[in-house]
Amino acid sequence: MKKTWGGRFQKSTDPQVEAFTESISFDHRLGPFDIDGSIAHVRTLVKAKLLTAAEGKKLVAGLQKIKKMLAAGKLPLDSSLEDIHTAVEKALVRLVGPLGGKLHTGRSRNDQVATDFRLYLRHAVKEVVTAGIELIDVICDLAAKEKDTLMPGYTHLQRAMPVTLGHHLSAYAFMLIRDMDRFLTAWDRADALPLGSGALAGTNHPFDREFTARQLGFHSVLQNSLDAVSDRDVYVDFLAAASTTQMHLSRISEDLILWATTEFGFIEMDDAFATGSSLMPQKKNPDVAELVRGKTGRVFGNLMGLLTVLKGLPLAYNRDLQEDKHFVFDSTDTVVGSLRTMKGFLSTVRFQREKMAQVADMDLTLLATDLADILVQEGMAFRQAHEVVGNVVCYSIERGKRLQDLTDHEFKKFSPAFPKGTADNLSVHHSVAQKKAVGGTSPKNVVDQATLIKKQSAEIKHHLKHL
Ligand code: ARG
């Protein structure tokens, strides 16, 4: 295939070089956006009187036809075509003749790919955030449903204080909703048009770039052509948002993996969301959650990969930048896949409520802090109460007796400040019900949290429609 830049060359490209430098095997994903960008460019050319209205019409019709061919898998995409931009241009020339050669007026593949990739980014943000919001809604519904389900809360993976399962779940909803905000912020910063910057210096032609921007739904126009063709910082933002999201998903996964163990026994995975062993007939494994956790490595790697490609690049465009797409495509697919699979996993998992509550209730010392707070209410300094209850805890472990089963007589041995009926209000249930200050684990708070997040997720859904 004759190169679009062949005029200066007397030899054809070495096949090894052709295979090494091509990007069409992956940038074909930019195809629909490339065509949208070209249609907008044609209209800008007409407005600048570089094309007649009739020529413009013919080119737009050709491009629309190519879009259909692409969707139907009928656009030639072989590697001698180099990249999707060339593939579209060549197809256009085949369709409309030499007029197709006017399409690239005042444009370089440098501002073209920068534009295509931003249009893709908007699409990717929509896809990720849609999947994220669906997962968040599932988590909120579960949280509200499990507002009264008691379980031990952990620090250092040691039992710490009672919490509700709903509170534990809605913690993840808060993390993920911030992540969705990160993606939307990444898009806000990317929402500016590169096209019209040419190869690096701008264009000699009287392009109305605001007009181009409006056609493509960009809110503004990049003001420096060198910046427009050479930076990829907005994808760093996107990949950072993807990394934080995947990190949160890996933490959810880790909890689920632990909870699925016989030792915890807090969940029973649905058969459709678990896998077996080829050797051990009894196994039911949490591979879904493990893979979400494992794929986090890829997503972090993509962020580091792009940063490393960008580091030290001189202005303006360098071919290194072609590598940007692998990272962004891969992280988009991985995060969307993880969000959707996690939604399925959580929608089908069965929480073993009795087991959770029983573990919390049977624990000898889970209510130690509540016991210290009883002394604080009697006027004792918290530090002293901590010390006294520390001694009571040793006694309770020694005797194998839960704190809530100790008698007033036993409490008094440690401090006369323990009131009459100290154990009366010492229960897992009461402990949770008391955490009424905003942010605490009380059932009412859990419902408020779920309602708040659902409101935010509805707002984001609405926002996505206008993106
Ligand atoms: N495939 C290229 C990329 O993704 C398109 C831009 C090529 N520009 C150039 N000056 N060779 O970056």
Side-chain angles (χ1 to χ4, degrees):
M1 179 77 61
K2 195 173 169 329
K3 299 283 182 274
T4 48
W5 36 263
R8 189 227 177 276
F9 289 78
Q10 278 154 21
K11 261 180 158 182
S12 56
T13 316
D14 180 276
Q16 175 65 38
V17 170
E18 199 157 87
F20 188 70
T21 55
E22 67 85 27
S23 55
I24 198 160
S25 57
F26 52 95
D27 70 12
H28 62 86
R29 277 178 78 157
L30 298 178
F33 310 106
D34 189 76
I35 296 167
D36 290 346
S38 286
I39 291 174
H41 185 60
V42 167
R43 295 194 168 126
T44 305
L45 290 173
V46 172
K47 193 156 190 265
K49 304 207 180 322
L50 288 155
L51 288 175
T52 65
E55 285 176 327
K57 244 179 133 175
K58 220 170 154 189
L59 288 178
V60 168
L63 287 163
Q64 274 159 350
K65 196 157 177 210
I66 293 171
K67 202 169 180 183
K68 285 199 188 119
M69 285 164 66
L70 180 72
K74 288 188 179 141
L75 188 71
L77 296 172
D78 55 274
S79 63
S80 68
L81 285 164
E82 226 182 319
D83 54 32
I84 186 67
H85 325 296
T86 311
V88 171
E89 194 181 320
K90 295 255 182 207
L92 187 65
V93 172
R94 270 198 309 277
L95 270 179
V96 305
L99 172 63
K102 288 194 173 185
L103 171 68
H104 213 52
T105 312
R107 186 176 73 168
S108 155
R109 280 181 297 166
N110 299 353
D111 59 346
Q112 188 178 357
V113 72
T115 304
D116 296 1
F117 206 22
R118 282 194 190 218
L119 293 173
Y120 168 80
L121 189 70
R122 172 163 57 200
H123 163 84
V125 165
K126 276 189 195 172
E127 204 185 349
V128 173
V129 175
T130 302
I133 290 298
E134 283 181 15
L135 172 61
I136 289 168
D137 284 352
V138 163
I139 295 178
C140 286
D141 291 344
L142 281 175
K145 196 166 148 212
E146 305 296 345
K147 69 182 192 327
D148 295 310
T149 308
L150 300 168
M151 62 177 276
Y154 296 81
T155 65
H156 313 268
L157 213 49
Q158 306 284 321
R159 288 181 205 147
M161 286 183 189
V163 293
T164 60
L165 172 59
H167 196 57
H168 191 113
L169 292 170
S170 76
Y172 285 125
F174 278 101
M175 295 175 197
L176 290 170
I177 202 99
R178 285 195 297 276
D179 291 335
M180 298 308 113
D181 196 48
R182 289 184 173 94
F183 282 109
L184 294 172
T185 308
W187 170 250
D188 278 349
R189 220 172 278 126
D191 188 7
L193 174 79
L195 204 63
S197 301
L200 76 163
T203 170
N204 293 341
H205 305 297
F207 286 170
D208 181 349
R209 294 186 62 212
E210 297 286 349
F211 171 71
T212 323
R214 272 198 304 280
Q215 291 183 75
L216 293 171
F218 285 108
H219 277 94
S220 65
V221 167
L222 286 171
Q223 297 291 313
N224 181 301
S225 58
L226 294 168
D227 170 42
V229 295
S230 70
D231 207 356
R232 298 292 186 265
D233 57 345
V234 292
Y235 309 101
V236 173
D237 290 345
F238 176 83
L239 292 174
S243 297
T244 313
T245 305
Q246 197 71 26
M247 174 276 290
H248 285 144
L249 290 173
S250 83
R251 297 187 68 179
I252 301 178
S253 299
E254 176 61 17
D255 274 339
L256 294 170
I257 292 163
L258 279 172
W259 291 0
T261 58
T262 315
E263 284 74 5
F264 269 84
F266 285 3
I267 58 170
E268 177 65 31
M269 294 174 284
D270 193 84
D271 278 3
F273 282 86
T275 45
S277 157
S278 59
L279 192 148
M280 299 166 280
Q282 85 283 15
K283 291 300 289 289
K284 184 171 172 184
N285 292 329
D287 292 29
V288 162
E290 287 169 340
L291 275 169
V292 170
R293 188 178 60 183
K295 284 172 190 286
T296 308
R298 295 230 320 252
V299 175
F300 290 5
N302 288 334
L303 171 62
M304 280 306 123
L306 180 61
L307 282 170
T308 311
V309 166
L310 296 179
K311 181 193 173 293
L313 275 189
L315 293 188
Y317 179 85
N318 300 273
R319 194 64 176 268
D320 314 43
L321 292 172
Q322 177 167 292
E323 290 291 311
D324 58 359
K325 284 166 273 302
H326 295 292
F327 306 123
V328 175
F329 291 156
D330 186 59
S331 280
T332 306
D333 295 343
T334 307
V335 173
V336 169
S338 300
L339 289 166
R340 288 189 186 149
T341 315
M342 188 52 78
K343 178 190 155 197
F345 189 100
L346 285 175
S347 308
T348 53
V349 78
R350 283 183 300 284
F351 293 106
Q352 305 300 296
R353 301 187 184 91
E354 272 176 26
K355 176 73 194 281
M356 288 177 159
Q358 192 192 28
V359 170
D361 189 51
M362 301 270 284
D363 191 273
L364 297 182
T365 59
L366 195 64
L367 300 173
T369 314
D370 295 283
L371 186 59
D373 281 341
I374 291 175
L375 290 174
V376 166
Q377 272 149 24
E378 297 297 316
M380 189 182 284
F382 180 73
R383 268 296 142 247
Q384 197 194 340
H386 190 290
E387 171 84 18
V388 171
V389 174
N391 295 332
V392 182
V393 163
C394 289
Y395 175 84
S396 121
I397 292 171
E398 223 173 76
R399 299 288 159 108
K401 232 173 140 183
R402 301 184 311 167
L403 292 176
Q404 55 269 50
D405 295 332
L406 300 182
T407 62
D408 281 346
H409 178 70
E410 288 172 301
F411 283 126
K412 292 274 188 203
K413 282 198 276 191
F414 294 93
S415 167
F418 279 113
K420 201 166 161 313
T422 289
D424 291 353
N425 278 330
L426 213 51
S427 74
V428 172
H429 188 269
H430 185 73
S431 168
V432 159
Q434 273 183 311
K435 305 285 187 307
K436 284 190 277 238
V438 173
T441 188
S442 75
K444 183 185 172 302
N445 279 350
V446 172
V447 173
D448 290 349
Q449 291 173 24
T451 311
L452 180 71
I453 300 276
K454 277 207 113 173
K455 193 169 156 261
Q456 290 179 13
S457 84
E459 281 165 13
I460 291 179
K461 249 184 263 175
H462 180 75
H463 181 72
L464 280 182
K465 281 195 199 135
H466 302 280
L467 213 62

